Amino acid sequence: MHELSIVMNILDTVAENAEKHNAKVVHLIELDIGKLAGIEFDAFNFATENAPKTGIFKNVKFSVNKIEPIAQCLDCKKKFETKEYTTPCPACNSTKTKIIKGNELKIKSFKID
Ligand SMILES: [Zn+2]
């Protein structure tokens, strides 16, 4: 499952950083996930609940912030909310747009002891 391997990658990344801070336990991992990041949120939640969690992650919880996608028109520079990659600009109807927010998947913070 795609989402499970993402969760395992996140745990690896947090483990590396937690070790640098001599963490004994990780309580919470807070994530920013864009709605265009290609993540199925239900599957992702299932993966966070069912990923094997040992050692510092024994009681870890996940908090996911869903980020609403924002696109910007490359012709008129207008920024607008979108639900997909290919929405034309609402101001000038240009199809030359890019997603500037909402396709990310990043670890925002984590709480350790
Ligand atoms: Zn435009």
Side-chain angles (χ1 to χ4, degrees):
M1 185 168 68
H2 176 62
E3 278 75 12
L4 182 59
S5 64
I6 292 168
V7 171
M8 297 310 289
N9 277 334
I10 289 167
L11 291 178
D12 281 349
T13 304
V14 172
E16 266 176 41
N17 285 288
E19 270 170 32
K20 287 180 197 157
H21 293 90
N22 296 315
K24 290 182 189 66
V25 57
V26 180
H27 297 290
L28 179 76
I29 299 172
E30 195 177 2
L31 304 165
D32 282 346
I33 303 181
K35 289 189 172 175
L36 290 179
I39 301 290
E40 181 65 52
F41 284 100
D42 286 344
F44 189 83
N45 286 339
F46 183 84
T48 60
E49 281 162 23
N50 291 281
K53 296 176 204 118
T54 55
I56 58 172
F57 294 119
K58 216 166 177 183
N59 294 307
V60 72
K61 297 265 182 283
F62 286 82
S63 169
V64 175
N65 306 314
K66 294 181 188 177
I67 309 297
E68 294 292 337
I70 304 285
Q72 182 170 28
C73 177
L74 298 177
D75 285 329
C76 74
K77 309 297 179 202
K78 183 179 173 61
K79 294 176 185 176
F80 56 96
E81 288 182 10
T82 181
K83 297 215 180 312
E84 53 200 7
Y85 274 94
T86 52
T87 309
C89 172
C92 73
N93 220 27
S94 170
T95 52
K96 280 188 251 162
T97 62
K98 66 170 180 181
I99 301 296
I100 56 171
K101 195 177 159 196
N103 59 355
E104 67 274 67
L105 191 169
K106 65 181 183 205
I107 300 164
K108 193 178 180 198
S109 66
F110 54 89
K111 289 201 176 83
I112 58 171
D113 265 327

